[in-house]
Amino acid sequence: MNPEIYDVVVVGAGTGGLVSAFVCDSLGAKTALVERAKMGGECLWTGCVPSKALIKSAKVFEMVSRAAEFGVHVENPRIIWRAVQLRLAAVRDEIKLLERAEMNRSKIDFIQGEAKFVDSHTLEVQTKSGVRHLRATKFILATGTKNRIPDLPGLGDVTYLTHETIYDVPSLPRSLAILGGGPIGCEFAQAFARFGCKVTLLQKSERLLPKEDRDLSEACRRLLQNDGVQVVLNAQTRRVAKNGDRIRVEFESEGEEQSIEAGQVLLAIGKAPHDTLNLGAAGVTMNENGIVVDEHLQTGARHIFACGDATGKYLFTHVAEYQAKIAAQNALLPFKAKADYRVVPWTTFTDPEIAHLGLTEDEARLAHGEIKTYRVPFDHLDRAIIEGETFGFLKVVTTGSGRIVGAHIIGPQAGELIHAFVPAVRDGALLQEFAEAIHVYPTLAEIGHRAGNEFYRDTLDAKPVRWLLKHLVKSSA
């Protein structure tokens, strides 16, 4: 065995792996990037990119069906599933070319093959042309996750879909049962309902999107039901079975045994870490959530780091990019940076979107005791009325003194609007600052300004303040 020598070997070419490899290369390290499948990882091929392209097609179809509201006549709009699929492929290809162009500008050695550790500093890679051994001073693991498949009676006897395979079905399903009411389940439920599918969503807990604020979870349920999705909460799936060309799903909800039938079943119950690297040979520990790392993204083997979904921390592409930069810096530089997850925004890309930042109302009450919440509906916002997009609201959570600790939005462009609150939550800003800042009219971003105005209205309504203002006005007359 004559190993190839590198400063850093990165395993996994999704967002975390690509970014960490680019950073290592820019710091002058001799870097290899190993990927067993396709460059770009889940986000590009089966995750964020195709799912958001699919959601966009569903939104356009829904808007076309509403065209008369805007004085536009459109006759007999219809979905052409094959055309939707071709657009997904075109979008992926365009982004793929951008990533490959950046790779070509670097000095990174890209190696495609299945990798495993043979000792703590040596990686064996099975490529199409044979076995290669890579030896490195440092390693960064960015191996992502796989779909969590439940141990469900009858599942092995049916053909089920996941977020990886649903894009490739030859024709649009006439009916679809979705197991799981997290972001993936909710996004696909709405999109396929808008395409004309009969969709049933089974969620095992008491509400959809259980990590969201309760008010937004309930609003999401109404949103999906408005689009024709049958939402069943507290649904414990018992078994699945073939029934001719359909699939029967048996479940218990509210103490009653029930069943539904659908042409296809989509599993969306979560993710599990990959365990193919023979991590024990390298001294790296993994638990049920992923590779165990410390605040520096360092594993139990001090020369091996991990980032992205593989760590099981926050399964978001933007967090993977954030972690990748820290992992690469810590692998190569003497001073160590810490990962800080206090202010992590995320968005569920239903239409309208659902954005999350900081503490929910329940979390804030536990952490701070006395809190206040300020809620502004989009149907009170001029730009939302102009756009015909008035479903939803902004909910801001503050301490008793008005310091912002959480912001939650369900409404048009929520994923864009939430960023205005990131520095506010990070720096402990007061909600009144949104009232004092000038916002462009008419824009959706005014919703934060309206929340600030609500803070002032709440303050001025307090009896001591009203008494003081009354006497100040009299004295200045």
Side-chain angles (χ1 to χ4, degrees):
M1 179 180 71
N2 294 313
E4 303 166 56
I5 307 300
Y6 291 92
D7 296 318
V8 182
V9 171
V10 180
V11 185
T15 298
L18 284 168
V19 172
S20 58
F22 288 140
V23 172
C24 290
D25 179 65
S26 68
L27 291 174
K30 184 180 180 183
T31 305
L33 175 61
V34 181
E35 168 58 47
R36 67 176 182 174
K38 299 177 181 179
M39 185 187 300
E42 179 188 53
C43 183
L44 174 60
W45 296 101
T46 61
C48 309
V49 171
S51 66
K52 279 45 180 180
L54 183 80
I55 289 166
K56 179 65 175 182
S57 292
K59 180 176 176 62
V60 170
F61 186 55
E62 191 266 346
M63 286 300 297
V64 170
S65 69
R66 294 175 52 202
E69 294 180 26
F70 303 90
V72 179
H73 176 71
V74 178
E75 196 167 330
N76 299 325
R78 61 193 179 96
I79 285 291
I80 302 174
W81 177 243
R82 182 56 182 157
V84 172
Q85 291 176 308
L86 289 173
R87 182 175 186 272
L88 300 189
V91 168
R92 282 186 294 207
D93 286 346
E94 184 172 349
I95 296 174
K96 175 186 69 178
L97 290 176
L98 294 174
E99 290 180 346
R100 291 191 174 176
E102 189 171 1
M103 179 64 68
N104 290 337
R105 289 193 296 269
S106 75
K107 297 178 181 179
I108 299 167
D109 289 339
F110 180 70
I111 302 169
Q112 193 165 30
E114 192 79 32
K116 67 177 182 180
F117 282 100
V118 293
D119 61 49
S120 62
H121 282 275
T122 308
L123 201 68
E124 180 181 279
V125 184
Q126 181 67 56
T127 72
K128 289 183 179 180
S129 58
V131 176
R132 297 172 64 174
H133 291 89
L134 313 180
R135 190 165 181 83
T137 305
K138 301 288 177 65
F139 292 86
I140 299 174
L141 310 181
T143 48
T145 56
K146 60 184 178 181
N147 285 293
R148 194 178 295 278
I149 306 301
D151 184 14
L152 190 62
L155 190 62
D157 300 324
V158 303
T159 300
Y160 57 83
L161 301 172
T162 69
H163 78 281
E164 296 176 340
T165 60
I166 193 167
Y167 310 106
D168 300 323
V169 293
S171 59
L172 196 62
R174 297 183 63 181
S175 56
L176 181 65
I178 300 177
L179 308 188
I184 293 174
C186 290
E187 289 177 2
F188 280 122
Q190 184 186 50
F192 279 92
R194 287 184 168 185
F195 287 151
C197 302
K198 180 182 178 181
V199 179
T200 303
L201 189 154
L202 303 179
Q203 167 68 336
K204 68 179 182 180
S205 66
E206 64 178 359
R207 58 192 178 102
L208 301 176
L209 303 175
K211 293 184 179 180
E212 301 300 330
D213 186 275
R214 287 182 178 274
D215 287 347
L216 277 80
S217 292
E218 173 57 22
C220 180
R221 183 187 64 81
R222 296 198 308 272
L223 175 67
L224 297 188
Q225 289 179 332
N226 289 345
D227 275 314
V229 178
Q230 180 186 0
V231 177
V232 184
L233 303 177
N234 297 308
Q236 305 298 319
T237 306
R238 301 303 186 196
R239 62 187 58 83
V240 298
K242 290 194 68 172
N243 186 16
D245 60 351
R246 295 169 67 78
I247 300 172
R248 185 175 68 254
V249 181
E250 300 176 8
F251 61 95
E252 180 184 331
S253 180
E254 307 299 341
E256 294 184 11
E257 296 290 338
Q258 303 179 49
S259 68
I260 58 169
E261 288 192 356
Q264 300 276 7
V265 171
L266 171 68
L267 303 182
I269 65 169
K271 301 290 190 66
H274 287 292
D275 186 15
T276 59
L277 289 180
N278 191 27
L279 293 176
V284 175
T285 303
M286 173 180 282
N287 61 26
E288 62 179 8
N289 295 317
I291 297 171
V292 178
V293 295
D294 64 13
E295 59 192 359
H296 305 292
L297 300 176
Q298 200 164 24
T299 71
R302 309 314 289 169
H303 65 293
I304 301 178
F305 298 77
C307 63
D309 290 5
T311 66
K313 296 289 185 183
Y314 291 89
L315 307 189
F316 303 115
T317 297
H318 48 287
V319 175
E321 178 184 359
Y322 168 75
Q323 290 179 326
K325 294 173 182 176
I326 294 174
Q329 172 185 322
N330 289 346
L332 294 175
L333 299 178
F335 44 87
K336 296 291 185 283
K338 294 181 180 180
D340 182 356
Y341 305 111
R342 290 175 299 168
V343 187
V344 177
W346 67 72
T347 300
T348 298
F349 291 89
T350 50
D351 178 32
E353 297 167 354
I354 300 169
H356 176 117
L357 177 67
L359 301 180
T360 65
E361 180 178 349
D362 290 345
E363 292 168 343
R365 208 174 298 282
L366 286 173
H368 298 283
E370 181 189 356
I371 65 165
K372 293 182 178 180
T373 63
Y374 300 87
R375 180 164 164 164
V376 182
F378 277 91
D379 62 9
H380 285 34
L381 196 67
D382 293 0
R383 182 56 184 267
I385 296 170
I386 292 166
E387 296 290 327
E389 302 284 350
T390 57
F391 184 95
F393 55 88
L394 160 67
K395 181 177 181 179
V396 181
V397 183
T398 75
T399 62
S401 62
R403 180 169 58 86
I404 302 171
V405 295
H408 308 276
I409 308 172
I410 178 168
Q413 299 185 41
E416 308 295 332
L417 298 176
I418 199 66
H419 292 95
F421 290 91
V422 170
V425 174
R426 182 193 64 208
D427 300 334
L430 298 172
L431 182 54
Q432 69 187 61
E433 295 177 39
F434 278 83
E436 295 164 356
I438 299 173
H439 288 67
V440 173
Y441 175 89
T443 61
L444 294 174
E446 277 189 287
I447 196 131
H449 182 68
R450 297 290 182 90
N453 290 344
E454 288 297 315
F455 171 84
Y456 268 118
R457 186 175 293 112
D458 183 48
T459 302
L460 295 176
D461 281 344
K463 287 184 179 180
V465 175
R466 279 190 285 147
W467 180 88
L468 177 61
L469 289 174
K470 180 179 178 180
H471 284 274
L472 287 174
V473 170
K474 284 184 177 181
S475 65
S476 64

